[in-house]
Amino acid sequence: MVVYVDLIFLTNLMIDGALIGLTAWMRQTKLVWWRWLLSAIVGALYVVMMFVPQFDFMFTFLIKFGFSLVMLSIAFGYKGLQAFTRTLGTFYIINFVAAGGILGVHYMLQSSGELFNGIWFTASGGMSFDLKIAFWFTFIIFFAVLLLFKIVQSAKRKTDRLCTYLGKVEVCIDEKVVSCTGLLDTGNQLTDPLSRMPVMVMEVALWQEWLPDSWKHRLKQESPDKLIMELDQEQFKWQDRLRLVPYRGINKGTAFMLAIKPDRVRVTMEEMTYETTKVLIGLDGGVLSSDGKYQAVIHPELVQEAASAQSTAQSAEATEKPLNVV
C-alpha cells in the first residue's frame, strides 16, 4: 500500500485550520494568522506521526487530549481557566458535529447490502462494524458539514439578536385593546409633521374587527385619502381619530400612511414597561414579517423618552412615576 504523507499532511492542515477557525468564529474571537497556522501545523504533524512505528504510544486518549490543549493554547493563548474551558468545549463540539455528519452521510448513501456486509460478530458474541470511508468523500463531506453548521449557527445568532429587539405591544382605544409582538426599529424616524408625534406601524389585519371591511385589501393598493373621503358612505366610530401621515419610501416619492390616534400605547421589553399617549398608529396593508415573528414596528422614541423620563425621576428621587412609565 502506498501512503502519500505529504497529501495527508496538507489535508489535515486544512481540516485542523478549519476547525480552529470555526471555533474562533463560534467564540467570537479574532485569530492571529501565525498562531492559527502554527496550531494547524501541530495538529497535522500529530496525524503524520501515526505512520512512524516508534510513536505508536502517542495514540492514547491522554496524549490526544494533550495535543488538543496544545493546539488551542497556541491558537488562542491562555486568558483564564473559564475562557479556555469554553474554547475547549466549543472545539470538541465542532469536531463531534463534523465526525457525526461524515458518518451520517456515509451510512445514508449506503445500500442495505453494503451496510450488512460491514457488520460482523466476534467470538464472544459481540457485534462489530467494518468502517471504510473514502478519502475524498471524507474531505468533501467534512467541509460541507462545517459549512452547514456555520449557516445554521448564523441563522440562530440572527434570531437571537432579533429577539432582543422584540417586545409586547398593547394599544388601547376606548375599551378595545389590540395586542401583538413588535420589533424595535432604531432607525425609524417616522413622525407626524404637525403634532411631531412618533408613528408606530402595525398590520391593518390586527384592526380588521373595527375597521371597514374593505380597508384591509384596499390600503395596499389605493391612497389612504381616498378611503377617508368615502367614509361618508360607511359608519366608522373612530373617524375623528384618523390622521394622514406623509412619508418617503425607498426609491419612491412622497406618499401618505393612514394612522389612528390611540388613547395609550404600552410597550414591554426586557421586563421594562413603557406607556405613552403621544403616539400615532400607522396602518400597513401588508405583512411586516414574512415569518410572522412580529406584527408592529416600534418607534424608538416610545422607549427612549420613557427611559429618559424614568432615569430623571429616579435621580430626583421622585415619589411618583412619570405618566409614560409604568
Side-chain angles (χ1 to χ4, degrees):
M1 181 178 64
V2 179
V3 177
Y4 297 94
V5 177
D6 55 345
L7 181 60
I8 293 176
F9 174 80
L10 291 175
T11 301
N12 281 276
L13 180 68
M14 296 175 62
I15 290 176
D16 290 334
L19 292 172
I20 293 294
L22 191 56
T23 301
W25 179 79
M26 287 284 293
R27 296 283 296 134
Q28 297 183 345
T29 302
K30 187 176 181 180
L31 286 172
V32 180
W33 71 269
W34 65 266
R35 282 179 168 270
W36 190 356
L37 178 60
L38 182 59
S39 177
I41 291 175
V42 170
L45 287 175
Y46 176 76
V47 176
V48 172
M49 284 189 296
M50 74 169 53
F51 299 100
V52 182
Q54 292 79 0
F55 294 145
D56 59 349
F57 69 92
M58 299 187 65
F59 295 94
T60 61
F61 170 76
L62 291 178
I63 300 296
K64 292 177 182 178
F65 184 73
F67 256 85
S68 65
L69 297 181
V70 172
M71 290 176 60
L72 294 178
S73 298
I74 294 174
F76 299 95
Y78 185 80
K79 301 176 182 178
L81 180 60
Q82 185 178 24
F84 188 80
T85 302
R86 290 178 177 176
T87 302
L88 179 65
T90 304
F91 178 74
Y92 273 104
I93 287 175
I94 294 173
N95 274 272
F96 295 152
V97 168
I102 294 173
L103 290 176
V105 175
H106 171 71
Y107 281 112
M108 183 176 64
L109 297 178
Q110 278 191 319
S111 64
S112 59
E114 293 173 326
L115 179 60
F116 285 108
N117 286 336
I119 301 177
W120 50 281
F121 293 90
T122 63
S124 61
M127 182 181 294
S128 296
F129 298 87
D130 188 11
L131 181 62
K132 295 180 180 179
I133 303 178
F135 169 79
W136 288 111
F137 177 88
T138 303
F139 184 79
I140 295 172
I141 297 300
F142 171 82
F143 286 99
V145 169
L146 290 190
L147 178 61
L148 181 61
F149 180 75
K150 185 175 181 180
I151 292 174
V152 172
Q153 287 298 316
S154 297
K156 181 178 181 301
R157 286 185 178 182
K158 183 178 179 181
T159 302
D160 291 341
R161 287 195 298 267
L162 180 64
C163 289
T164 61
Y165 293 97
L166 294 179
K168 181 181 179 182
V169 175
E170 293 182 356
V171 181
C172 301
I173 298 181
D174 295 336
E175 297 180 355
K176 309 297 182 181
V177 178
V178 176
S179 302
C180 68
T181 301
L183 173 69
L184 177 62
D185 184 5
T186 56
N188 182 10
Q189 300 298 323
L190 183 59
T191 57
D192 179 23
L194 297 179
S195 63
R196 307 306 302 173
M197 289 185 184
V199 179
M200 181 175 68
V201 181
M202 296 181 67
E203 295 178 4
V204 70
L206 297 170
W207 299 88
Q208 194 62 31
E209 182 179 348
W210 301 283
L211 296 179
D213 296 335
S214 61
W215 278 23
K216 179 180 179 181
H217 303 288
R218 295 179 63 186
L219 268 177
K220 206 171 185 178
Q221 303 172 351
E222 300 182 24
S223 178
D225 55 344
K226 182 179 179 181
L227 300 179
I228 293 180
M229 294 293 294
E230 295 177 357
L231 278 179
D232 294 338
Q233 303 173 4
E234 300 185 49
Q235 296 295 326
F236 182 46
K237 62 179 180 180
W238 293 339
Q239 185 173 353
D240 58 336
R241 295 176 179 267
L242 294 178
R243 306 287 189 274
L244 285 177
V245 179
Y247 71 96
R248 183 181 297 274
I250 300 176
N251 298 326
K252 295 181 180 179
T254 301
F256 289 93
M257 174 178 290
L258 185 64
I260 191 168
K261 179 67 177 70
D263 291 329
R264 67 181 182 275
V265 171
R266 179 176 295 177
V267 179
T268 303
M269 298 187 66
E270 297 182 351
E271 299 182 355
M272 292 290 294
T273 301
Y274 313 94
E275 186 173 308
T276 183
T277 59
K278 298 179 179 180
V279 61
L280 295 177
I281 304 300
L283 303 179
D284 188 279
V287 177
L288 297 177
S289 173
S290 59
D291 54 6
K293 289 186 179 297
Y294 57 91
Q295 299 80 41
V297 178
I298 304 172
H299 197 287
E301 288 187 15
L302 300 183
V303 177
Q304 292 169 358
E305 290 184 358
S308 176
Q310 185 184 42
S311 177
T312 302
Q314 289 177 346
S315 62
E317 296 182 355
T319 58
E320 296 183 358
K321 295 182 179 179
L323 294 178
N324 62 341
V325 180
V326 178

